[in-house]
Amino acid sequence: MVKLASAGVFLALVVIAVLIVVSSGNSGGGDSGNIVEAKEVDGLLAGIPQKGMVLGTPGAKVTVLEFGDLQCPVCKGYSEEVLPQVIENRVRSGKATLDFRNFTIIGPQSKPAGAAAIAAGEQGRGWNFVELFYRNQGTEDSGYADDEFLTAIARAAGVPDLARWNRARRSQAAIARVEATSAEAENLGFTGTPSFALEGPGTDGVEAIGTPESVDTLESAIEHAGK
Amino acid sequence: MRAPAEGTLRGIATFLATFGVGVATYIAIADSGGGSPVCIAGGHGCQTVAESSYSHLAGVNIAIFGLAGYVVLLVCALLRGDAFRMTAFVVSLIGFGYSLYLTYLELFTIDAICQWCVASAVLMTLLFVTNAVRMLGYVGTEP
């Protein structure tokens, strides 16, 4: 009986180990065949106007500029932990707009990824693309952000015309814009991502605030910029 | 210490496995409709877990595997004999071990808790205990 039970336990442990190995193979992110959290992103952004890479009601008092690299894991953290509260409290209420600008510092795929976000923005889905990219981000600069991955993100982000998006993301204009905003970030003195700048009645032009430590720090800076 | 009567253990296992079939069926149906299970207490935990990459194994919702496991456990609970005692023990041990792993993922990787998954993990734990007692107490005895 003991032998039989031991064999049973051994068999069960082997099966559990196989299940865990197969399951963890799914977990690396950057998987174009398994884009997750599209519904959450839709919920986060639903009902908020988008124009280009700007999220929020045009004419809001404060503009929050986010300089990010889609391949940057810290930006992913901000996207998941900090920005949802800012979007709910400041953007949805019409007090501020969020303007995503590429600051490509991670690797060679950052630039085409940024251009792909801009191309999605031309069809009103720029922020869906950015947020969904972050939530499905793969290992930093591992080569996951290829055409297949970008297309899967665009599709899940609800970009209506993928053929138009494909042309736009490869256009010189989109690439040039990524390069221009990266240069702008350097001019503002930024060296890492994400970095933020604010513009409003309480600021002297575009004011760089770097990388806020917490959502409260960012929110109080936005509050101050609006006064 | 004497094990409880086998009939009692089989009755408990039948009750638990039937509940398990219900829970796994609900999760599988919610997923097949393109949605996710609804957390009774509110919140987005079930949606977050259902949309995570861990909710599917080789493209198949893990609730389907869970459903298959509960059906096997139900059959083993209804039938007599060593083969069913051993099968119930091994299958419930697999279910228990994998549930532990999934609960760990919910707590530390996905950062979301789905009540339906917790319910299944509790049922599978109880089934493992019941079937372990049945196996230890009755394998080698007459059916």
Side-chain angles (χ1 to χ4, degrees), chain A residues 66-217:
Chain A
E66 180 196 1
F67 290 88
D69 184 320
L70 290 172
Q71 291 204 90
C72 150
V74 184
C75 301
K76 171 187 166 70
Y78 263 73
S79 156
E80 291 171 347
E81 308 295 335
V82 174
L83 291 187
Q85 194 171 318
V86 173
I87 290 170
E88 274 312 308
N89 294 347
R90 306 283 161 178
V91 178
R92 189 174 288 285
S93 59
K95 292 175 188 159
T97 56
L98 258 173
D99 186 346
F100 180 85
R101 299 190 180 184
N102 289 283
F103 180 20
T104 54
I105 56 171
I106 302 287
Q109 288 183 328
S110 296
K111 203 186 280 186
I118 290 169
E122 289 176 8
Q123 298 187 47
R125 306 300 282 182
W127 269 86
N128 298 70
F129 187 97
V130 168
E131 291 294 309
L132 208 51
F133 191 112
Y134 281 140
R135 280 161 171 73
N136 290 277
Q137 193 185 68
T139 306
E140 191 171 351
D141 202 23
S142 60
Y144 70 90
D146 54 11
D147 280 353
E148 191 184 346
F149 179 76
L150 296 177
T151 305
I153 293 289
R155 185 173 287 120
V159 173
D161 185 342
L162 285 174
R164 183 180 149 207
W165 169 79
N166 259 316
R167 286 192 300 274
R169 76 185 171 101
R170 292 193 171 98
S171 70
Q172 193 48 46
I175 296 290
R177 212 172 129 204
V178 174
E179 290 169 349
T181 52
S182 295
E184 184 188 8
E186 284 175 7
N187 289 338
L188 283 165
F190 296 144
T191 54
T193 53
S195 291
F196 290 84
L198 301 173
E199 189 173 22
T203 67
D204 185 13
V206 175
E207 213 165 84
I209 59 166
T211 308
E213 283 170 16
S214 67
V215 66
D216 292 337
T217 316

Side-chain angles (χ1 to χ4, degrees), chain B residues 6-141:
Chain B
E6 191 180 16
T8 306
L9 294 170
R10 286 175 51 217
I12 293 170
T14 303
F15 177 77
L16 294 170
T18 305
F19 252 99
V21 167
V23 169
T25 303
Y26 170 67
I27 299 174
I29 289 174
D31 178 79
S32 67
S36 55
V38 176
C39 277
I40 294 167
H44 297 288
C46 296
Q47 189 179 343
T48 305
V49 172
E51 289 181 3
S52 81
S53 58
Y54 299 101
S55 65
H56 289 70
L57 262 180
V60 178
N61 190 313
I62 55 171
I64 301 288
F65 293 100
L67 179 58
Y70 283 120
V71 168
V72 170
L73 289 172
L74 182 58
V75 170
C76 290
L78 292 171
L79 299 174
R80 298 165 190 272
D82 276 357
F84 298 108
R85 290 168 181 149
M86 280 310 298
T87 304
F89 170 69
V90 172
V91 170
S92 63
L93 177 55
I94 293 170
F96 170 65
Y98 197 58
S99 294
L100 274 184
Y101 171 68
L102 292 174
T103 305
Y104 162 81
L105 288 176
E106 285 187 84
L107 289 173
F108 301 107
T109 302
I110 306 171
D111 286 333
I113 284 285
C114 172
Q115 297 156 7
W116 295 98
C117 310
V118 173
S120 176
V122 169
L123 287 170
M124 204 46 104
T125 304
L126 295 174
L127 275 163
F128 168 62
V129 172
T130 307
N131 284 310
V133 173
R134 183 185 177 195
M135 188 272 293
L136 290 170
Y138 294 97
V139 163
T141 65

